[in-house]
Amino acid sequence: MPSTSSAPGKVYLFGEHAVVYGEPAIPCAIERRARVTVTERDDDRLRVSASDLTLDGFTVEYGGVDRRPDVDVPTPLIEAAMGYVDAALAEARDAADRPSAGFDVEIESDIPLGAGLGSSAAVAVAGIDAATRELGCDLDPGEVAERAYAVERTVQDGQASRADTFCSAMGGAVRVEGADCETIDAPALPFVVGYDGASHDTGELVAGVRALREEYSFASDTVAAIGDLVRRGEAALADEDVAELGRLMDFDHGLLCALGVSARSLDEMVWAAREAGALGAKLTGAGGGGCIVALDPDDGTETALSLTPACAETFRAELAREGVRVE
Ligand code: PMV
């Protein structure tokens, strides 16, 4: 019997990049999900097919001694996507103590890849949950989050915070500071996402900020200022003060620009949102290209973004109250 799980993507309300240096961050899960279906095989091979990604669909089949994949799309793409799937399945085998279990895996996702919406974390979380259940082992969402974090750490050469994976596993708004992760109360937030159609290399952008911090003391002051801003944001969330959240998002985007991680397309979308009456707008995730997130209860931002040449796609994204779940 196949097992299917889904897990949400996320936006950063505040705190990306600074979270890497121990400052708090507040990511929020959004109703865009990755669904992973896992069926145990009677051999030790692995077959993975993916569809509905921003990429064209692909199928990979491999196993046996040399584990050389038989693929129908170019290798770098496969390596990136397969790294997460492979590591997630390894975590599931380890959790269930079934080191040689083979699987058929089907991935469907409506989260753009590498765009700051946590697609890889959602695939890792849903994959671990589905594969462990398929092997008769039930993990609670906290355990799934911890194993998914191990996946990201492995695939991203140690450059990962717990933010994406914890948020995807638990759902809602979460606060992450180093190894301390907790879910926090949040009102229904009127998120609008703008996507420029590009993807970014998180590791490269993180390395850029690290270099800037080493060279300029005011870059480390900027990281610390983001931390202060996140603490103000926590108070605004607790007070359900959405207007103040918007002002702080604008401020956060300015600080991220100072750290060199914005891009013309992201700035254009941020300004289009602000001029259309958004309460606030900022890039989300590593930056460089990908997505912005704005707060707007009305249609203005979506309309303005759909008319902005830099914007390839815009959509409203409800806060996903539920994290990983059985489908
Ligand atoms: O763009 P994403 O979804 O990979 O987010 C990266 C967020 C960073 O804070 C820049 C890095 C991290 O691991 O927290």
Side-chain angles (χ1 to χ4, degrees):
M1 269 274 284
S3 305
T4 304
S5 298
S6 78
K10 60 101 226 300
V11 292
Y12 271 93
L13 190 53
F14 309 113
E16 53 272 88
H17 284 290
V19 70
V20 175
Y21 307 98
E23 299 291 351
I26 303 180
C28 296
I30 56 167
E31 271 312 337
R32 283 248 155 173
R33 290 186 165 258
R35 273 166 296 279
V36 181
T37 300
V38 178
T39 314
E40 190 182 359
R41 295 172 64 111
D42 48 19
D43 57 24
D44 65 355
R45 291 174 65 84
L46 185 59
R47 182 180 190 280
V48 179
S49 54
S51 61
D52 281 13
L53 301 174
T54 343
L55 316 162
D56 293 334
F58 65 83
T59 304
V60 193
E61 182 157 353
Y62 61 97
V65 189
D66 59 0
R67 290 179 64 81
R68 217 174 356 181
D70 174 13
V71 298
D72 62 358
V73 282
T75 314
L77 213 81
I78 287 298
E79 272 172 8
M82 285 304 296
Y84 291 96
V85 177
D86 220 6
L89 296 174
E91 286 293 330
R93 287 191 200 96
D94 179 65
D97 200 14
R98 292 280 307 282
S100 56
F103 302 101
D104 285 337
V105 181
E106 249 181 85
I107 304 167
E108 278 177 277
S109 170
D110 42 43
I111 310 166
L113 280 181
L117 297 185
S119 57
S120 54
V123 167
V125 165
I128 291 170
D129 194 66
T132 46
R133 285 194 299 105
E134 181 66 5
L135 296 177
C137 158
D138 265 331
L139 301 180
D140 67 41
E143 290 169 315
V144 173
E146 203 49 35
R147 287 188 177 269
Y149 168 59
V151 167
E152 288 223 311
R153 223 176 31 211
T154 308
V155 181
Q156 294 167 200
D157 290 333
Q159 307 241 42
S161 70
R162 283 180 164 79
D164 282 26
T165 40
F166 185 76
C167 185
S168 183
M170 309 307 286
V174 308
R175 180 188 193 279
V176 175
E177 184 172 2
D180 294 333
C181 305
E182 56 179 332
T183 53
I184 55 178
D185 289 337
L189 294 168
F191 290 129
V192 178
V193 173
Y195 172 41
D196 68 4
S199 59
H200 57 225
D201 181 333
T202 299
E204 215 170 87
L205 288 147
V206 169
V209 173
R210 188 179 301 280
L212 214 56
R213 255 181 112 243
E214 277 161 18
E215 191 170 354
Y216 300 106
S217 62
F218 42 80
S220 46
D221 294 345
T222 304
V223 167
I226 294 177
D228 291 341
L229 183 153
V230 177
R231 286 180 275 272
R232 292 286 285 258
E234 277 174 63
L237 258 185
D239 295 343
E240 303 198 359
D241 186 347
V242 183
E244 172 72 355
L245 289 174
R247 282 191 292 273
L248 293 169
M249 285 168 75
D250 284 341
F251 214 133
D252 199 0
H253 184 74
L255 295 171
L256 290 164
C257 285
L259 293 175
V261 296
S262 193
R264 177 188 280 261
S265 57
L266 300 177
D267 289 343
E268 281 176 12
M269 292 191 287
V270 159
W271 278 104
R274 289 175 183 164
E275 286 171 6
L279 298 169
K282 62 182 279 293
L283 67 84
T284 173
C291 291
I292 65 135
V293 58
L295 284 183
D296 190 349
D298 303 317
D299 294 339
T301 296
E302 250 183 299
T303 307
L305 285 173
S306 67
L307 297 170
T308 302
C311 181
E313 197 188 335
T314 177
F315 51 88
R316 191 165 277 288
E318 300 295 321
L319 185 69
R321 301 278 175 189
E322 243 184 320
V324 63
R325 72 177 181 221
V326 175
E327 292 285 337

